[in-house]
Amino acid sequence: MTGIVISGTGLYTPPHSISNEELVTSFNNYVERYNSEHAVAIANGAIEALQPSSVEFIVKASGIQARYVVEKEGVLNPDIMAPRIPERANDEISVLAEMAVAAAQEAMRQAHKTAADIDAVIVACSNSQRPYPAIAIEVQNALGIEGFGFDMNVACSSATFGMQAAADMISAGHARAILIVNPEICSGHLNFRNRNCHFIFGDVATAIVLEKKETCTVADAFEIIGTKLQTKFSNNIRNNFGFLNNAAPEGIGQPDKLFMQEGLKVFKEVVPMVSDMITSHLQSLDVPGKNLRRLWLHQANIHMNELIGKRVLGREPQEGEAPVILNEYANTSSAGSIIAFHKYHQDMKSGDLGIICSFGAGYSAGSVVLRKV
Ligand code: CO8
């Protein structure tokens, strides 16, 4: 028992949804155009023809049916195939902070907390908009929160790593309550011209309020009974966008400055890593896997979640035990498991156990075991 509770969560869903059909039509238009423009080079074997994408493949391989995005036209335009989000002046709120604030306001309302009750803001996400000033400090300013804020990035595991950091800081007396926000504009760093991954990600923001059990005034709270984090270096998910790009101009605009992965290797390596981590974490807390009422898992691939659920519970997960949101939202990086928690915990009874678990680039994985207060 940590004595720390989740007292509120929030979700901001962008206004535009892209179906697999829309995405595949746009991608296949691009492929046809590319192949006809390069017909001679393809015919003489100098370059390979691009292959079309397919809705059936996407649904079968991943479970994804649609994704929300901040901007849709640019993504679907075969000449652009990237969102077009105009820059804002420095005296306007940034797009990422705006999404974070919307999710944070819902989480604070749910937790019955005002800005005066919160002492720190952590922005924990994969796809930050800029290096500095920290987005967290901008969010803190927009919400009128005193204290401190900082950004952190552990890719898809950012939210669970943020929760452990926040719980530790509250326990140590550095803050009474902490707001963690996970704004993800994954579409900004997704290569929509890459058939292997163009369908994977979506945009969203989630927020979580953590505080001590004694200060919590809501009935619908969950106590953190333990957290566990794990990292293991892998190049199988990588993005080389960064501070040194300007020092190597020949690399600017190359595909490695966007999201890249060896999807099948990730699948095969991460499923056992995460299943073992959850199992050993539960053992250390004396919680048998079969006692878990709910698994709010990272939302990357439906088959990964089925396998992890089966290994942890020791049987096939029943309907609703491991809620799926990736069909509607796709992979939203750090936010996925938090969306699942936000949408699917209201029916749980006092004493019920559940686990939030994230996994992704690094590799990184985090598990947070919860008991309904
Ligand atoms: N349409 C039709 N066919 C396709 C397509 C497509 N779109 N894509 C691939 N194929 C074909 C391939 O060419 C291949 O054909 P062949 O067998 O003839 O060679 C066949 O389909 C099978 O290809 P794969 O083996 O690659 O397919 P998989 O069954 O492995 O499915 C997945 C691919 C869905 C990507 C799957 O491997 C997967 O989900 N893996 C796990 C991925 C994962 O969890 N990644 C974590 C990333 S999240 C993270 O931590 C980073 C956060 C950063 C956020 C960045 C925002 C941009």
Side-chain angles (χ1 to χ4, degrees), residues 67-302:
R67 68 286 296 142
Y68 292 98
V69 288
V70 167
E71 201 281 327
K72 179 169 175 173
E73 304 299 317
V75 171
L76 292 182
N77 182 334
D79 291 328
I80 303 174
M81 297 182 86
R84 285 290 174 254
I85 306 166
E87 285 194 354
R88 294 183 180 183
N90 288 353
D91 59 1
E92 291 177 280
I93 189 163
S94 65
V95 182
L96 209 67
E98 190 173 65
M99 291 168 59
V101 165
Q105 283 167 333
E106 185 184 3
M108 287 165 65
R109 260 196 316 274
Q110 217 181 73
H112 301 169
K113 290 283 172 279
T114 67
D117 303 314
I118 294 178
D119 294 327
V121 177
I122 301 175
V123 164
C125 66
S126 291
N127 299 284
S128 195
Q129 181 170 347
R130 60 165 188 260
Y132 44 82
I135 302 287
I137 304 175
E138 192 183 0
V139 171
Q140 182 198 355
N141 182 56
L143 291 168
I145 293 171
E146 302 281 331
F148 63 94
F150 61 87
D151 294 350
M152 54 175 280
N153 183 348
V154 199
C156 291
S157 290
S158 299
T160 50
F161 278 61
M163 285 165 80
Q164 178 170 306
D168 288 350
M169 286 193 290
I170 295 169
S171 296
H174 299 305
R176 293 164 301 156
I178 298 183
L179 172 69
I180 303 155
V181 270
N182 323 105
E184 295 284 13
I185 306 183
C186 297
S187 60
H189 262 249
L190 178 55
N191 187 346
F192 285 99
R193 292 195 169 94
N194 182 333
R195 174 180 179 250
N196 294 323
C197 66
H198 76 117
F199 55 90
I200 292 182
F201 290 101
D203 305 337
V204 83
T206 49
I208 310 152
V209 174
L210 292 191
E211 62 179 306
K212 282 202 169 133
K213 210 172 164 182
E214 301 91 76
T215 62
C216 177
T217 60
V218 299
D220 194 22
F222 283 77
E223 181 167 7
I224 297 177
I225 62 172
T227 59
K228 189 176 168 82
L229 310 179
Q230 192 181 337
T231 52
K232 189 169 185 272
F233 185 71
S234 168
N235 270 321
N236 290 332
I237 314 169
R238 195 164 171 127
N239 185 336
N240 289 330
F241 183 81
F243 292 114
L244 291 182
N245 294 164
N246 195 43
E250 66 282 3
I252 293 175
Q254 295 301 311
D256 71 316
K257 306 305 180 299
L258 295 169
F259 170 85
M260 302 180 298
Q261 77 166 354
E262 295 283 345
L264 193 54
K265 285 188 189 162
V266 174
F267 192 113
K268 286 186 175 161
E269 291 171 10
V270 167
V271 169
M273 174 181 156
V274 170
S275 310
D276 292 350
M277 184 190 78
I278 296 178
T279 305
S280 73
H281 188 201
L282 292 174
Q283 272 166 3
S284 74
L285 296 170
D286 233 358
V287 173
K290 65 179 172 49
N291 288 10
L292 290 177
R293 170 105 197 270
R294 194 130 317 155
L295 288 82
W296 299 283
L297 299 177
H298 175 52
Q299 303 282 318
N301 183 298
I302 198 162

